Amino acid sequence: MTNPAPLAPMPRFSEFYEALNNREPFPWQARLAERLAVSGCWPAEIGVPTGLGKTACLDIAVWWLASQADRPPADRTAPTRIWWVVNRRLLVDSTADHATRISEALKDSDLESLQIVSRRLRSIADSPGSSPLEVIRLRGGVASSRPTDPSCPAVILSTIPMYGSRLLFRGYGTSRTMRSVDAALAGTDSLVLVDEAHLARHLTSLISQLAACVDGSEEILGKVRSHPQVVALTATGDAKEEDRFDLNADDERNEIVRQRLDATKSIEVRVHTRHSEKHLATAAERLLQGAKGATCLVFANSPVTARAAWMLLRKRFPASVANTLLLTGKTREREADSIRERVLDGAEGMAADRSLEAVRKRHLIVVATQTLEVGADIDAEFLVTETCGVRALTQRLGRLNRLGRFKQSRGTYVHMPPPRRKGTAKRGPLEWPVYGREPDSVHERLEEAVDPNTGVVNLSPRDISGVLGEPGDDPGRAPEILKGLLWEWVKTTTPPPGEAPVEPYFAGIAGVDYSVSVIWRANIPEPGWRLWPRPSNREIVSIPIGEFRDALDSDDEVSRLGPDQMTIELSRTEDLQPGNVVVLPSDSGLLDEFGWNPSATGTVFDMSIPVRGLPLEKDAIRRLVGVSLSETVSVDSDEMTLSSLLKGALGDVEDHEDTDEDRMREAAEQLRQGLSKTRPEGWEESEWISFLDQLGPPVVSVFDEVSRLPCSEGSSERPSEERDETSLSENATLLHQHGEQVGRVSESLSERIGVPLKLVRVIARAGRWHDCGKADSRFQRWLNPAGSATNGEPLPPLAKSKTPRSRWNATRVAAGWPRGGRHEALSARLVRAWVATVREEDPLLADLLVHLVASHHGSGRPLIPPATDGAMGTVVAEIEGVRLESRVDLSVVDWEQPARFRRLNDKFGPWGLALMETIVRQADHRVSSEKSSDSQEAAS
């Protein structure tokens, strides 16, 4: 690593914060930053009440990381990745918005203090031209992105299941080949800020248990950064006083802090016995009587109750009187964007920063579940809440008169008995779902505190803990993590059958939400075919498995994604597993404008089509345009059926006819014209015409995927490592050049994050030699079917091919490379031969070198699966001047690899080993994605 240019002195935190937010930090924020700068460690718990800027912990973490940019990487204690973890998926996520604003300001600001911080953050990252701060959201059940590499400063916003499953090598939405990468990025060099950590006590406990499981392993990033650093953000926590950071007298002297602590929150208590939705609606109606253009937030404990209360309020308040919205967390980003826009609207919404001078023309009523308890910087004048526990009530009231600006802010607490479960006795125990028996004591304390003169109780942030007392909730039990169990999860290539689910370990036995992720598509591929386009987290809805099963017939089969998160397989609903991604036909209903609705029957908008293109499949087009393909349309003054145009575009001709590419192009153009005469449900006419104008021809046909007309502005597909599509590139690349480049980047990355020198050397070697097995003559014919350059001269071995992805499978078959064959198996054999020849002094480092080469596409944990082969012959390569030769039969298994893998896990810990794998793999990804002038020259 070259010596960087000297960095400018770091600005004080208050200067950085003010430049970023146009206001001074609260005293507690500046005090926490100063404490970090002096002590170098976070408190275990930050007990600042809601509404007083806990989101600034992101600002503090970013500032602290930048302040250590001039230290040697091995001496840094500030983690590179900042995880903000919440208990549930949030639809109004002020933290995510704030993280994005930080990132954008660091990229574009002309303020000197922000420019200095930006340059410092860029100096930490190894990627040239990288963003000073990446921001990534993991909200659904699909891992659509991750940090560019382990050296890049990043803020990652995640739910508990998304973080916890990654930490335990079973990442939701992560393909089998990428599980170890996501585990490394979660389990090392990470600051984990757990928002409202009382909802995540099992996760915080899990992290400390995992550290005990790997006690004694080598900490390759030092004692602090080799493990996650966990900070609980909660005003209702239970940490010891010495481990907790709270407000002090300096904060009390701040006028804004005092105003928010003393914000009026007058709560009336009402008791009813049944029909909670009716009483929630009535309470909201009563609060809004006589008000003009007011906002009211209604909290229900379940999506069913929320939807029922919302329907009653829509009947009682005409659209001209109130805009009534529903937020349950079970919605896609398309629908959520529309709802979010109205909730945060500067004139009609209830955003906390909305000017009080803006006059609403009508009321805004938002009925919500727990999705608005945290993360939402909204400020309502009135609030209604269903029975809940101390912590939940504290959070819900944090959205009422949040900034203390409303003089008369009122709410209603609707106390209801617990719902009777089917089959329970009439005098069953008083148990509420989620809250247990705690709501009974909450009700008693509220009744005791009601002022007899006014009939209300004041629950301002200053007074609420005195009224409600200590929380009495019980998170329940979580199973104990054992080393043997962790070892089973670490095996990501060939998971053992019947393995233990990971969910209870971060959610508790009673609190597990076994959910599946559901997407709606016009095109549903046959089993064994790959889904196109690849799923994104914006189109995901997470639904509890039981609820999903109830919405379908018991004997239904559904399409779900296989372990590669691409290939379709059929599953009975009863066989679905947590984290599965289910693909439903877009005409199957079950979703409306406010999200999941089992009674909805309309066509669901396919979110993938506008950004990726048109699938050329008869059922997909029928579902999309809502008409039979036998219907005729006028094209070039002729009447033609959509079916005939589709066949022409696909080159579907009679046996005696030849496929004509010009005719296919003409038919594809005519199909576009024909579709312009239709108007799909959910599309504006101008939007549909604009979309059609962006489509090809030519038609793109890829093995095991639907043919399509892609959008001209669509992004590239995520390549499959299992099918070696990462060997495709815009330019043919020489094998030795690619290896040298990956070796250099691997070395630089390792040094940049502070890996010990002895390991840096091994990682760099693994990067240089990771693809040496591609020298196999069959693989070379696959990469270059022509066998020579354009001038007829033989090409030296290639690492990357210019072959179009549509021809990738056909060229594999022609080259004789076996289906499922792994070139890294040959690379590992050659490296083992080199190790045996040069006799590496440290056998463990020799093991590491072989493993990093074997695992560079996610296999080898613990085995590289064999392929049906039996080929004779050898592959030859030269490594550091030593000529090596190895057999090419890919049906032969390296049975030493499991023991090698076990030794390395014991030595470096599961996350330390995964981090070294990640360095090599993400170095390879970076080099493969860059356009190299050397490659262009080699291909000419």
Side-chain angles (χ1 to χ4, degrees):
M1 184 172 67
T2 58
N3 293 325
L7 296 170
M10 187 70 185
R12 292 177 297 107
F13 173 73
S14 57
E15 183 182 353
F16 167 70
Y17 183 91
E18 190 168 354
L20 202 56
N21 299 285
N22 283 325
R23 60 179 182 273
E24 294 181 352
F26 288 145
W28 77 263
Q29 295 165 342
R31 193 167 66 254
L32 178 58
E34 182 180 349
R35 168 178 167 160
L36 270 176
V38 173
S39 70
C41 63
W42 286 78
E45 188 172 281
I46 296 175
V48 176
T50 184
L52 288 177
K54 279 186 296 184
T55 308
C57 288
L58 284 183
D59 308 55
I60 295 168
V62 171
W63 174 84
W64 186 42
L65 175 59
S67 73
Q68 295 192 359
D70 49 3
R71 296 186 182 185
D75 294 344
R76 286 207 316 264
T77 56
T80 307
R81 287 174 293 284
I82 304 160
W83 291 78
W84 186 280
V85 179
V86 296
N87 184 48
R88 57 185 64 90
R89 180 171 179 256
L90 305 178
L91 296 186
V92 180
D93 192 348
S94 301
T95 305
D97 295 340
H98 184 62
T100 301
R101 285 197 298 272
I102 295 174
S103 178
E104 294 300 321
L106 290 173
K107 279 192 286 191
D108 301 326
S109 178
D110 55 2
L111 296 176
E112 184 180 12
S113 58
L114 296 184
Q115 290 178 347
I116 291 173
V117 171
S118 176
R119 285 194 291 271
R120 282 176 159 263
L121 292 174
R122 289 181 194 273
S123 74
I124 291 172
D126 184 68
S127 301
S130 64
S131 168
L133 185 69
E134 293 186 348
V135 176
I136 295 165
R137 296 185 68 187
L138 300 175
R139 292 306 197 212
V142 171
S144 55
S145 60
R146 55 182 56 84
T148 304
D149 65 50
S151 74
C152 288
V155 172
I156 309 167
L157 303 120
S158 172
T159 59
I160 290 174
M162 293 294 274
Y163 176 78
S165 62
R166 276 158 179 69
L167 185 65
L168 295 179
F169 291 85
R170 288 296 179 272
Y172 281 2
T174 298
S175 69
R176 181 169 50 199
T177 62
M178 294 301 291
R179 282 176 170 174
S180 59
V181 173
D182 284 336
L185 297 176
T188 65
D189 207 6
S190 292
L191 171 67
V192 185
L193 300 172
V194 187
D195 194 13
E196 297 313 322
H198 57 271
L199 301 172
R201 281 174 280 182
H202 293 303
L203 176 65
T204 54
S205 174
L206 167 67
I207 293 174
S208 62
Q209 291 180 40
L210 291 175
C213 280
V214 297
D215 187 39
S217 59
E218 183 174 332
E219 295 168 328
I220 66 173
L221 293 185
K223 187 174 182 59
V224 177
R225 289 167 53 224
S226 291
H227 311 282
Q229 300 178 41
V230 185
V231 181
L233 310 178
T234 177
T236 54
D238 49 15
K240 297 178 182 178
E241 185 176 350
E242 60 268 24
D243 297 327
R244 183 176 171 88
F245 184 89
D246 284 306
L247 302 181
N248 68 9
D250 291 338
D251 299 291
E252 287 285 354
R253 287 188 285 271
N254 184 279
E255 181 180 351
I256 297 177
V257 172
R258 284 202 314 273
Q259 176 180 311
R260 297 184 185 182
L261 287 175
D262 295 324
T264 300
K265 306 190 185 197
S266 300
I267 307 301
E268 178 186 22
V269 181
R270 289 187 170 270
V271 181
H272 300 284
T273 57
R274 56 180 181 170
H275 301 310
S276 56
E277 69 280 359
K278 173 183 175 182
H279 300 296
L280 292 173
T282 299
E285 187 177 17
R286 189 179 291 116
L287 287 170
L288 289 168
Q289 283 179 354
K292 294 183 179 180
T295 56
C296 183
L297 187 54
V298 180
F299 277 109
N301 290 343
S302 73
V304 173
T305 300
R307 186 172 282 272
W310 167 74
M311 292 175 67
L312 287 173
L313 285 165
R314 290 192 86 176
K315 291 179 181 177
R316 299 181 188 185
F317 288 91
S320 60
V321 176
N323 183 12
T324 307
L325 305 177
L326 174 66
L327 274 170
T328 69
K330 295 179 179 178
T331 188
R332 305 180 302 178
E333 288 297 319
R334 174 183 169 83
E335 291 75 28
D337 284 344
S338 174
I339 302 169
R340 187 185 302 114
E341 183 178 344
R342 286 178 276 177
V343 171
L344 301 178
D345 183 79
E348 301 288 330
M350 60 172 68
D353 59 0
R354 173 185 175 273
S355 172
L356 293 183
E357 297 179 1
V359 178
R360 294 186 192 86
K361 298 177 182 177
R362 54 180 178 164
H363 299 313
L364 173 61
I365 306 171
V366 178
V367 184
T369 54
Q370 294 93 330
T371 188
L372 281 186
E373 282 184 12
V374 297
D377 193 14
I378 56 177
D379 195 1
E381 298 165 67
F382 303 110
L383 181 140
V384 179
T385 175
E386 191 178 1
T387 305
C388 60
V390 170
R391 303 183 199 270
L393 182 56
T394 301
Q395 288 306 308
R396 293 176 183 187
L397 289 173
R399 275 70 206 161
L400 175 66
N401 197 15
R402 185 172 178 81
L403 305 184
R405 302 184 299 171
F406 303 121
K407 295 180 180 179
Q408 297 296 325
S409 188
R410 296 178 291 129
T412 303
Y413 182 86
V414 179
H415 182 72
M416 303 283 298
R420 295 288 179 188
R421 296 181 180 178
K422 293 180 180 179
T424 59
K426 189 174 182 180
R427 294 181 176 273
L430 291 176
E431 291 275 345
W432 283 261
V434 178
Y435 306 113
R437 301 185 182 184
E438 189 182 20
D440 235 8
S441 58
V442 170
H443 175 224
E444 291 176 5
R445 295 169 190 170
L446 288 174
E447 292 285 17
E448 291 172 359
V450 168
D451 187 324
N453 297 316
T454 63
V456 299
V457 55
N458 180 37
L459 294 177
S460 68
R462 189 187 299 279
D463 299 325
I464 190 169
S465 61
V467 173
L468 298 181
E470 292 296 320
D473 54 337
D474 180 6
R477 188 171 61 87
E480 182 182 358
I481 285 282
L482 301 174
K483 287 186 177 180
L485 185 62
L486 178 59
W487 169 240
E488 295 304 305
W489 287 332
V490 166
K491 300 173 186 175
T492 56
T493 306
T494 50
E499 66 177 5
V502 296
E503 292 77 16
Y505 295 85
F506 52 74
I509 293 173
V512 172
D513 179 13
Y514 292 110
S515 294
V516 292
S517 296
V518 185
I519 65 176
W520 284 258
R521 288 292 183 85
N523 175 55
I524 306 293
E526 294 293 323
W529 283 56
R530 296 196 298 183
L531 182 69
W532 179 87
R534 308 289 179 253
S536 76
N537 57 14
R538 287 185 57 81
E539 57 182 328
I540 290 288
V541 178
S542 294
I543 306 297
I545 290 179
E547 187 176 339
F548 181 78
R549 290 171 179 156
D550 289 343
L552 281 75
D553 293 336
S554 58
D555 58 349
D556 275 357
E557 279 192 327
V558 294
S559 298
R560 69 177 176 186
L561 297 186
D564 64 356
Q565 293 297 296
M566 295 181 187
T567 303
I568 290 290
E569 56 187 32
L570 288 182
S571 170
R572 294 184 303 173
T573 55
E574 62 188 44
D575 295 331
L576 291 172
Q577 299 295 316
N580 281 170
V581 179
V582 178
V583 188
L584 294 179
S586 57
D587 56 359
S588 61
L590 305 179
L591 193 83
D592 64 19
E593 62 176 319
F594 291 104
W596 174 256
N597 180 7
S599 63
T601 58
T603 299
V604 179
F605 189 92
D606 183 341
M607 291 179 60
S608 71
I609 288 179
V611 293
R612 300 314 304 269
L614 180 71
L616 296 180
E617 196 274 332
K618 57 184 179 60
D619 287 333
I621 293 179
R622 175 186 56 77
R623 291 187 183 109
L624 177 63
V625 301
V627 298
S628 169
L629 266 66
S630 62
E631 187 168 317
T632 59
V633 290
S634 177
V635 177
D636 295 334
S637 302
D638 292 329
E639 294 296 318
M640 308 178 73
T641 65
L642 291 174
S643 178
S644 64
L645 294 174
L646 176 60
K647 287 183 178 180
L650 292 173
D652 187 358
V653 298
E654 300 296 333
D655 291 341
H656 63 278
E657 295 180 322
D658 293 328
T659 301
D660 186 324
E661 291 190 5
D662 289 335
R663 287 175 58 188
M664 289 174 61
R665 283 175 173 270
E666 181 183 1
E669 178 58 36
Q670 290 175 330
L671 178 62
R672 288 201 311 168
Q673 293 179 37
L675 290 174
S676 69
K677 314 298 181 184
T678 67
R679 183 179 171 187
E681 185 176 341
W683 291 71
E684 296 291 338
E685 183 175 357
S686 59
E687 180 187 18
W688 176 239
I689 297 302
S690 176
F691 164 73
L692 292 175
D693 288 343
Q694 289 186 46
L695 297 179
V699 171
V700 174
S701 296
V702 178
F703 176 70
D704 280 0
E705 292 180 13
V706 67
S707 297
R708 61 262 194 174
L709 285 173
C711 286
S712 58
E713 298 179 2
S715 58
S716 60
E717 286 287 359
R718 187 167 73 245
S720 167
E721 299 212 42
E722 296 193 10
R723 299 194 181 184
D724 240 326
E725 289 170 359
T726 54
S727 294
L728 295 172
S729 176
E730 293 183 13
N731 306 292
T733 306
L734 296 182
L735 183 58
H736 78 275
Q737 289 179 339
H738 177 71
E740 287 299 319
Q741 289 171 342
V742 173
R744 284 195 297 271
V745 174
S746 298
E747 182 176 24
S748 180
L749 263 178
S750 304
E751 293 175 338
R752 188 77 66 168
I753 65 176
V755 172
L757 182 59
K758 65 175 182 178
L759 300 179
V760 172
R761 295 191 182 111
V762 177
I763 293 169
R765 275 178 169 164
R768 284 197 297 272
W769 306 338
H770 72 287
D771 270 351
C772 62
K774 287 184 177 180
D776 178 276
S777 59
R778 297 170 298 171
F779 205 93
Q780 287 302 305
R781 288 196 298 271
W782 188 11
L783 291 175
N784 180 27
S788 60
T790 54
N791 60 4
E793 291 295 323
L795 275 176
L798 297 176
K800 300 293 177 182
S801 172
K802 294 192 298 181
T803 302
R805 198 158 66 91
S806 59
R807 293 173 50 204
W808 189 230
N809 186 66
T811 54
R812 176 192 64 78
V813 173
W817 184 262
R819 184 183 178 95
R822 302 306 316 170
H823 69 267
E824 59 267 32
L826 301 184
S827 299
R829 289 179 195 174
L830 291 166
V831 170
R832 279 169 24 222
W834 180 85
V835 167
T837 301
V838 301
R839 299 187 182 277
E840 168 66 55
E841 293 181 7
D842 188 333
L844 204 65
L845 294 184
D847 279 350
L848 178 61
L849 175 61
V850 173
H851 174 74
L852 292 180
V853 171
S855 64
H856 82 267
H857 280 299
S859 294
R861 302 178 55 85
L863 283 171
I864 298 178
T868 302
D869 194 5
M872 306 297 289
T874 59
V875 57
V876 177
E878 184 176 297
I879 297 179
E880 294 192 2
V882 180
R883 186 181 185 278
L884 302 163
E885 189 172 332
S886 179
R887 62 191 299 189
V888 297
D889 184 358
L890 290 169
S891 67
V892 178
V893 177
D894 176 13
W895 292 110
E896 296 177 9
Q897 176 63 15
R900 184 183 300 120
F901 181 54
R902 184 62 182 257
R903 290 192 295 270
L904 293 170
N905 272 279
D906 290 343
K907 172 64 175 177
F908 300 110
W911 294 274
L913 178 60
L915 178 62
M916 289 187 280
E917 294 174 28
T918 299
I919 292 170
V920 174
R921 296 186 66 186
Q922 291 198 313
D924 186 18
H925 294 169
R926 187 209 298 180
V927 171
S928 298
S929 65
E930 292 173 349
K931 293 183 179 180
S932 168
S933 58
D934 290 341
S935 298
Q936 292 174 359
E937 183 178 343
S940 62

